[in-house]
Amino acid sequence: MDRESWLALAQNLDWTPSYVSEAELFPPAISGEPWLAHEDWADWAEPFRTTFAEYVRTQSQKEEGLAALRDALGGPTHVAALDPGWSAGVKLHSAILALAEFAAVVGNLRAARFGRHSAWRATSLLGALDELRHTQLPLALMHDRVRRDAQADFTHRLYHTNGWVSIAARHAFDELLLGSDPIEFAIATHFVFETGFTNLQFVGLAELAEQVGDTLFRSILTSIQTDEARHAQVGRPVLEVIVARDRARAQYLVDKWFWRNWQLFAPVTGFTMDYLTPVRRRGPSFKEFVEEWVLDQYLSSLDELGLERPWYWDSFVRALDHYHHMTYAAAYTYRASVWFDMVLPGPEERAWLARKYPASWPSYEPIWDRISSAWRRTDPGVEFAAHATAIPCFCALCQMVLAHGTPEHNAAIVVDREPRKVVFCSEPCRWIYETEPQRYGEHKDVVARVLAGEAPANLLEFLTRYSGLSVQTWGKDAFGGAYSWLDRETR
Amino acid sequence: MLVPLYGFLEGDTMGVLVLAHADSTLAEVVDKLRASASLRVDTRGAFDLVAGGQVLDPHATVASAGLTALDRVDARRRDGSA
């Protein structure tokens, strides 16, 4: 049998159930809403059409290539040559993604059983294998570094702690990858996330990795992206079916998940692109990457599908100039609460940021002047002289720091929802929460945990006992506050 | 009685929890917010405390101003103060 004949046969294995009803075989609660009869899914197809034998052969070749590179470049000499800021960005990326990819195994396997077309189920099985590989690659990369860098251990540990980043990322990924049905998973993960935001992670960051000389990390990112590009193809045909049968549901899911993905990945990617990568190795800014890789492609995809741009689009475009700058300044002053080091932007970095963000950067200059002056008054390495101690506040939906809007006007909203008040960082987060209150209402943010006595209010206790950090692992200034441009005050 | 408030100081990049008491004056609440944000913001000069769009009397207390747990308060630079 030739390949095309085999695929035509192997991708269409659905049958008419006789012992149970179709709704019992594919229960709506787990197969997803809207629940449609098989006839509505009968024309479902994805363009990649890979056989299992082809899949194994291709993945094996990729793995062999990466193993050779890891042998050649994974040693301590190569790692020690990397810029400290860039290494911090690799730790941020690896810890956020590694076990999230493992959660995506579960999402794919659920679709491999409860997806409504046999081709969808078959390709989801390959997607699950992909995600297992995407878990193992960063774990293997960072495992080689743990002996010399205890922060690298957070690639595996992060989601087993209660640090605020862990809580926020778990809140998003548990829903996206573990708790969603195959329809929501396909639209949220394969369409919104993998056709938009993974480009930032795996294409944009790969370009930067090449610029800083981190060939091994670039190769890992590029290898992962080739898988993402394949299983991302599941999203669009699922979305097309839902648009045709329940357009409002389709619009809600894409709008909800675009915002949720943005909330998490603006800091994750924006920090590395605009702050942690050495300025002389940077290319486009985070905003320019988003405009190139997310905005144009995403809007044209929505248009092709007959969907509207999200109602909050203007706010999102404004946030491109602010959100990751707000969160970076906040996180830098609470860097002991994360597992990666952070860079204090100096004159050269700030001139670059001013060129890239002419409309918004003037609001951030005085903030970095102020933080720099705290370092001037102390000695290198005295981290807590330039570190905040007040309790930060977090959004009831995304669990991120209340850092939307601008320094002149924070966009947080407090809403009285009996029996308690809840706070949101932004209107889209409020909209998502209030659309599905039964889904989000019981979750406690960090402040609620502190006020309920479940988490310590004392910063050191919060870092060590609750967040799983220690003096060896908590984030510090990547250069210990010792910068050639930073003249220390005479004391 | 402790009255935790969501506090925002003009010029800052994040919200912080202000642990006020019902009998704290609003001037004291502003001082707590200044202290919380001072690593990121030069807090010299005069600030007004604003809640629900209204500038509050700094001599009023948290309770007499009608503030309750988890209300939002903003410390806004008084016009001309820098």
Side-chain angles (χ1 to χ4, degrees):
Chain A
M1 188 178 285
D2 64 36
R3 181 179 184 276
E4 286 306 307
S5 303
W6 163 251
L7 279 170
L9 177 67
Q11 292 213 311
N12 289 284
L13 296 173
D14 282 309
W15 68 99
T16 304
S18 54
Y19 294 106
V20 293
S21 70
E22 194 179 359
E24 288 172 302
L25 188 59
F26 296 102
I30 194 163
S31 282
E33 303 279 1
W35 193 90
L36 305 171
H38 177 68
E39 296 77 57
D40 294 313
W41 295 100
D43 295 330
W44 195 95
E46 52 88 16
F48 247 93
R49 306 205 322 149
T50 305
T51 70
F52 188 71
E54 290 168 348
Y55 177 82
V56 170
R57 189 163 52 247
T58 305
Q59 299 303 87
S60 173
Q61 288 165 355
K62 289 183 197 172
E63 285 296 292
E64 284 172 14
L66 283 180
L69 269 176
R70 189 179 165 205
D71 286 345
L73 300 174
T77 309
H78 170 76
V79 176
L82 295 173
D83 174 84
W86 173 258
S87 292
V90 173
K91 282 181 259 188
L92 166 60
H93 169 97
S94 299
I96 291 288
L97 267 296
L99 294 202
E101 301 275 17
F102 192 64
V105 174
V106 176
N108 275 285
L109 287 178
R110 185 176 290 119
R113 164 60 182 87
F114 292 102
R116 298 299 308 284
H117 190 282
S118 60
W120 178 2
R121 296 195 294 275
T123 198
S124 294
L125 181 63
L126 304 185
L129 294 172
D130 287 343
E131 304 295 11
L132 198 56
R133 178 171 174 268
H134 303 173
T135 307
Q136 291 168 340
L137 286 172
L139 285 174
L141 173 78
M142 301 308 274
H143 180 264
D144 291 342
R145 302 181 184 186
V146 170
R147 197 174 302 161
R148 292 172 183 79
D149 181 354
Q151 290 179 331
D153 194 32
F154 272 70
T155 311
H156 189 267
R157 282 186 62 198
L158 175 67
Y159 290 101
H160 301 295
T161 74
N162 279 317
W164 66 273
V165 181
S166 174
I167 290 171
R170 270 201 312 256
H171 192 279
F173 288 138
D174 281 359
E175 182 185 12
L176 176 70
L177 306 170
L178 296 176
S180 60
D181 59 57
I183 290 173
E184 185 162 2
F185 178 79
I187 293 171
T189 306
H190 296 315
F191 180 76
V192 178
F193 182 57
E194 289 168 349
T195 58
F197 292 92
T198 54
N199 283 326
L200 290 176
Q201 286 296 305
F202 298 114
V203 181
L205 268 190
E207 282 182 35
L208 288 177
E210 182 69 21
Q211 290 300 312
V212 302
D214 195 349
T215 305
L216 179 56
F217 191 57
R218 179 194 53 79
S219 302
I220 288 173
L221 294 173
T222 305
S223 181
I224 289 174
Q225 179 60 15
T226 57
D227 295 346
E228 300 285 353
R230 174 170 32 72
H231 60 240
Q233 301 301 322
V234 174
R236 187 172 177 128
V238 172
L239 185 54
E240 284 172 349
V241 171
I242 303 305
V243 169
R245 306 307 193 282
D246 189 345
R247 192 171 174 280
R249 173 78 175 154
Q251 185 78 54
Y252 173 68
L253 289 177
V254 295
D255 291 356
K256 166 188 170 180
W257 283 107
F258 186 84
W259 186 258
R260 295 220 68 189
N261 282 314
W262 159 253
Q263 285 296 100
L264 191 59
F265 280 92
V268 171
T269 321
F271 284 14
T272 304
M273 289 182 170
D274 282 359
Y275 289 95
L276 300 177
T277 300
V279 65
R280 293 177 190 185
R281 303 292 181 188
R282 291 178 203 166
S285 66
F286 171 65
K287 179 184 177 183
E288 290 165 337
F289 269 117
V290 173
E291 287 171 341
E292 178 182 354
W293 288 102
V294 181
L295 298 202
D296 293 345
Q297 294 179 23
Y298 189 71
L299 285 182
S300 63
S301 295
L302 291 183
D303 194 46
E304 288 162 14
L305 287 158
L307 292 170
E308 306 291 328
R309 62 178 59 189
W311 61 268
Y312 52 73
W313 194 253
D314 291 344
S315 300
F316 162 68
V317 171
R318 276 196 299 276
L320 281 174
D321 274 313
H322 286 283
Y323 181 49
H324 68 297
H325 297 314
M326 295 275 280
T327 47
Y328 189 83
Y332 181 87
T333 57
Y334 286 89
R335 57 196 174 279
S337 66
V338 297
W339 68 97
F340 55 92
D341 297 339
M342 302 183 77
V343 177
L344 179 68
E348 196 177 353
E349 285 88 352
R350 284 155 64 173
W352 184 88
L353 287 159
R355 282 198 304 277
K356 296 293 187 181
Y357 297 91
S360 61
W361 189 253
S363 296
Y364 299 94
E365 273 289 327
I367 292 165
W368 290 107
D369 281 341
R370 183 77 178 168
I371 298 169
S372 300
S373 70
W375 272 114
R376 281 196 176 89
R377 292 192 298 272
T378 190
D379 291 323
V382 186
E383 290 282 333
F384 279 86
H387 197 284
T389 54
I391 300 173
C393 298
F394 300 87
C395 175
L397 188 276
C398 70
Q399 311 294 314
M400 296 292 287
V401 177
L402 298 179
H404 252 289
T406 66
E408 291 74 31
H409 182 74
N410 191 295
I413 314 136
V414 175
V415 178
D416 200 347
R417 292 181 59 87
E418 288 293 337
R420 63 193 178 99
K421 292 178 191 139
V422 287
V423 66
F424 302 101
C425 68
S426 58
E427 283 290 353
C429 277
R430 173 187 179 176
W431 169 70
I432 295 166
Y433 183 103
E434 294 192 330
T435 305
E436 300 180 84
Q438 72 287 355
R439 200 168 219 189
Y440 304 114
E442 296 302 314
H443 190 276
K444 286 182 184 160
D445 64 35
V446 171
V447 168
R449 295 174 194 212
V450 169
L451 294 177
E454 297 170 13
N458 175 284
L459 179 64
L460 277 178
E461 282 284 296
F462 184 83
L463 299 182
T464 54
R465 189 159 61 80
Y466 204 68
S467 305
L469 292 155
S470 67
V471 69
Q472 287 79 29
T473 54
W474 66 45
K476 303 165 189 71
D477 184 280
F479 298 91
Y483 295 89
S484 58
W485 54 267
L486 192 74
D487 300 323
R488 297 214 124 72
E489 289 179 5
T490 306
R491 279 166 289 140
Chain B
M1 187 179 72
L2 199 62
V3 183
L5 300 166
Y6 292 118
F8 302 87
L9 187 130
E10 184 177 346
D12 199 4
T13 61
M14 61 189 291
V16 294
L17 194 69
V18 181
L19 295 173
H21 290 272
D23 58 356
S24 303
T25 67
L26 300 186
E28 290 169 337
V29 172
V30 168
D31 286 343
K32 286 192 175 207
L33 253 174
R34 282 180 203 264
S36 297
S38 65
L39 178 60
R40 295 174 296 276
V41 184
D42 183 346
T43 59
R44 287 174 295 186
F47 284 81
D48 290 320
L49 198 70
V50 176
Q54 302 293 312
V55 176
L56 304 177
D57 176 1
H59 303 295
T61 65
V62 167
S64 69
L67 295 174
T68 58
L70 301 182
D71 275 343
R72 171 177 178 154
V73 292
D74 286 73
R76 298 238 152 244
R77 258 182 218 288
R78 195 165 298 159
D79 288 344
S81 175

